[in-house]
Amino acid sequence: MKEEDWRVLKIIEISMRYYEWVPMPEIIKKTKLDKKEILYRLKILDKFKLINRSSYGYRLSHRGYDALALNAFVKKGIITAIGGKLGVGKEGDVYNILLSNNREAVLKFHNLGRTCFTRGKRYRSYLADKRHISWLYASRLTAEKEFEVLTDLFPIVKVPEPIEQNRHAIIMGKLKGDELKRVDLKQLDIDINKLFWGIINEVKKMYELGYIHGDLSEFNILIDEDGNFTIIDFPQAIKIKEDKDEKLKLNKLPGEFKVDIEFYLKRDLENLLRYFKKYGINENLDAIYKYIVEK
Ligand SMILES: Nc1ncnc2c1ncn2[C@@H]1O[C@H](COP(=O)(O)OP(=O)(O)O)[C@@H](O)[C@H]1O
Ligand SMILES: [Mg+2]
């Protein structure tokens, strides 16, 4: 793709703030290219499926948004190669990449609009002032959020190292291992009780730094063959203080806020307890909860 192709694509991206379908006159005005050339560029973008078109105009496709983020990383000299898909997540794909310093890393795209808005409600409070919530904006917001959480937690808590963020994409350190869900712990030469308490202690550190994971389960903990684990997947993390401020703004009582924090933390802990019960760990939810929230 030529510079001009990227330029047209970026203009469509920017104009999507105001249009669901960006009309041709707008593209002409913003790019200052003539219609014939724009039509030619649009044909290329269409061929690569980077845009969608309708009788109203043009809009960026999910793939187009991915391409813009990827291009930004390449232009900044961060990524030199992209490899296979590591996982197809609920809201985006994760790829193996090579950084310019030859280090392996992973690239995670957040694509909120692809599946319906499952976690939508919580984000909506952020987006309350926007009448039209575009998937573009929502996806970028969740990537920013995840990057911010990782930055706050790494390296104190065992989470991937945040490396770069652009639009709806984040680059983070690559971890070895598999999701707990896919591993039979009995096949590993590890002390399962120690692993359980190791994870609980990370949750406690997270809490002390002001966060609750919010989607903690055997799907979002990676473990390698030596039993080293890492907690991943933070877009829905709950920032304890921020939520408090938000609730206060909505004129809710501090007591209600407390219930919410307790609700989310206990839900995370319940998932862990349920998983580890299969391995003979029988701990009490309230006792673990107390252990985490008490200094
Ligand atoms: N830093 C990483 N290193 C290695 N694999 C990762 C990393 N981050 C994610 N993955 C893989 O990609 C999958 C999806 O990532 P995740 O952050 O959990 O997103 P989702 O919201 O889609 O579940 C994970 O279950 C894991 O297999
Ligand atoms: Mg996940």
Side-chain angles (χ1 to χ4, degrees), residues 29 34 64 74 117 170 209 233 256 270:
K29 198 174 99 193
D34 63 56
V74 172
F117 243 58
I170 65 177
L209 290 171
D233 201 359
E256 283 180 60
E270 256 162 7

Side-chain angles (χ1 to χ4, degrees), residues 86 89-90 94 106 108 172-175 179 220 232-233:
L86 252 170
K90 290 182 293 283
V94 180
V106 305
K108 177 177 174 183
M172 56 187 154
K174 184 180 161 115
L175 307 161
E179 292 147 25
N220 286 327
I232 60 165
D233 201 359

Side-chain angles (χ1 to χ4, degrees), residues 238-280:
I238 294 131
K239 197 168 187 173
I240 296 169
K241 190 170 170 301
E242 197 176 79
D243 270 40
K244 185 171 157 187
D245 294 344
E246 226 170 70
K247 288 276 155 47
L248 290 176
K249 257 192 280 170
L250 296 171
N251 292 324
K252 288 211 175 156
L253 299 169
E256 283 180 60
F257 146 74
K258 243 187 181 158
V259 170
D260 268 3
I261 295 295
E262 189 175 335
F263 171 80
Y264 289 116
L265 182 53
K266 281 192 171 167
R267 197 176 62 180
D268 279 358
L269 296 173
E270 256 162 7
N271 288 338
L272 291 178
L273 288 171
R274 181 187 31 74
Y275 172 82
F276 278 98
K277 200 168 182 166
K278 288 184 290 189
Y279 292 102

Side-chain angles (χ1 to χ4, degrees), residues 197-214:
W197 281 102
I199 294 169
I200 294 296
N201 279 321
E202 294 307 302
V203 176
K204 186 173 168 70
K205 274 194 272 174
M206 223 184 279
Y207 185 85
E208 280 159 7
L209 290 171
Y211 285 105
I212 294 168
H213 186 288

Side-chain angles (χ1 to χ4, degrees), residues 99-146:
L99 303 181
S100 48
N101 57 8
N102 259 342
R103 184 179 151 199
E104 276 190 77
V106 305
L107 172 63
K108 177 177 174 183
F109 289 113
H110 290 256
N111 274 318
L112 248 82
R114 245 180 12 179
T115 54
C116 63
F117 243 58
T118 44
R119 293 166 179 165
K121 275 204 179 121
R122 297 243 347 263
Y123 295 115
R124 262 177 219 146
S125 58
Y126 277 91
L127 302 165
D129 51 343
K130 290 251 167 186
R131 264 187 310 147
H132 169 68
I133 307 167
S134 75
W135 60 267
L136 213 72
Y137 185 63
S139 302
R140 175 165 63 80
L141 212 63
T142 58
E144 281 171 359
K145 167 100 183 276
E146 178 158 42

Side-chain angles (χ1 to χ4, degrees), residues 18 20 30 40 42 50 68 75 82 84 97 101 105 108 130 137 142 159 161 171 212 228 248 252 254 268 280 290 295:
Y18 312 105
E20 220 171 315
K30 292 255 179 68
Y40 173 71
L42 287 170
L50 304 183
L68 282 169
K75 274 195 128 177
I82 180 159
I97 54 165
N101 57 8
K108 177 177 174 183
K130 290 251 167 186
Y137 185 63
T142 58
V159 300
E161 176 189 1
I171 297 177
I212 294 168
N228 301 310
L248 290 176
K252 288 211 175 156
D268 279 358
K290 229 173 132 193
K295 283 253 151 75

Side-chain angles (χ1 to χ4, degrees), residues 143-190:
E144 281 171 359
K145 167 100 183 276
E146 178 158 42
F147 195 79
E148 184 192 317
V149 178
L150 292 179
T151 306
D152 285 351
L153 297 181
F154 183 87
I156 302 165
V157 182
K158 290 178 182 164
V159 300
E161 176 189 1
I163 297 173
E164 280 284 336
Q165 182 255 324
N166 184 277
R167 294 179 171 83
H168 63 321
I170 65 177
I171 297 177
M172 56 187 154
K174 184 180 161 115
L175 307 161
K176 283 193 297 171
D178 249 323
E179 292 147 25
L180 267 187
K181 171 75 192 170
R182 299 203 288 163
V183 175
D184 180 4
L185 294 181
K186 287 187 198 123
Q187 302 291 319
L188 302 180
D189 186 22
I190 57 162

